[in-house]
Amino acid sequence: MKRSFGSLEVEIVRGDIASQPDMDTVVNAANAELMPGGGVAGAIHRAAGPGLAEECRPLAPISPGEAVITGAHGLPNEHVIHVLGPVYGRDEPSGELLADCYKNAIRLADENGLSSVAFPAISTGAFGYPGEEAAGVAMKAVTGEAAGVSNLRKVRFVLFSDREREVHEEALSGVR
Ligand code: AR6
């Protein structure tokens, strides 16, 4: 599914965030230390190789909502943008912090002259954010940035399951 907001296209697909070769940058659902972990952080660091963790070390720790950019190493992209999502029920206000992840990643991509960015569903795995609620926050945050970008033309959400994809499609359909 795709929808356009001004010059920004938002697309939703099922897939693996570590296998998006046509995107300038992928977003990592990182831990504060920016080290390899489970889920998205595991897949990204595995595909990137040890050079990514090495480049990350001096940039850590990061705070919930913050985004930092690195090279992509063995991944088929130019860059990786690492964000720390809120732990649901602990990092408050969780909705604002989750929205900040998307907004800050988009601004960082745009400032670096990138034209496409792929996101996973930040905080909805190990960090426990309920999927539907997170999808609503994500779509509102991303589409709200459309008017402010100069270089970015495409945002792709890459969801691991058909259920997650559907939930995101519903949330995107609901954006006015
Ligand atoms: N591609 C796309 N989506 C994925 C992939 C993948 N390869 N793998 C998992 N997902 P999570 P978080 C989905 O846990 O909640 C890590 O250990 C997954 O089904 O990766 O922000 C870090 O080190 C879920 O819907 O991120 C942190 O400590 C979503 O991506 C912590 O987990 C996010 O799941 C971050 O937790």
Side-chain angles (χ1 to χ4, degrees):
M1 172 183 182
K2 286 179 190 175
R3 271 189 75 183
S4 288
F5 299 82
S7 58
L8 188 69
E9 180 181 83
V10 180
E11 180 183 35
I12 295 178
V13 302
R14 179 181 168 184
D16 179 351
I17 193 70
S19 305
Q20 303 298 319
D22 58 332
M23 302 301 279
D24 290 345
T25 186
V26 291
V27 174
N28 180 18
N31 48 64
E33 299 306 322
L34 302 175
M35 286 297 117
V40 168
I44 284 187
H45 278 275
R46 247 189 329 271
L52 180 60
E54 222 165 277
E55 187 183 353
C56 282
R57 196 164 291 120
L59 305 174
I62 63 168
S63 320
E66 196 179 341
V68 295
I69 191 166
T70 65
H73 300 263
L75 280 159
N77 313 97
E78 286 176 35
H79 293 280
V80 177
I81 292 178
H82 309 258
V83 300
L84 178 61
V87 174
Y88 194 70
R90 188 189 78 185
D91 299 321
E92 300 290 351
S94 56
E96 234 167 85
L97 293 170
L98 184 60
D100 285 347
C101 290
Y102 289 99
K103 292 178 193 173
N104 287 329
I106 284 178
R107 290 171 194 170
L108 200 50
D110 195 56
E111 281 162 20
N112 279 273
L114 306 179
S115 65
S116 55
V117 55
F119 284 101
I122 298 162
S123 282
T124 64
F127 285 177
Y129 212 114
E132 267 177 50
E133 202 181 318
V137 170
M139 293 309 152
K140 188 165 173 235
V142 165
T143 56
E145 290 301 299
V149 295
S150 313
N151 301 299
L152 199 68
R153 292 288 173 265
K154 182 162 184 161
V155 172
R156 176 181 293 160
F157 284 86
V158 181
L159 290 319
F160 224 29
S161 69
D162 278 328
R163 175 67 194 139
E164 284 175 276
R165 180 182 51 75
E166 282 163 20
V167 163
H168 283 74
E169 287 181 352
E170 276 161 34
L172 184 59
S173 303
V175 174
R176 290 167 192 233

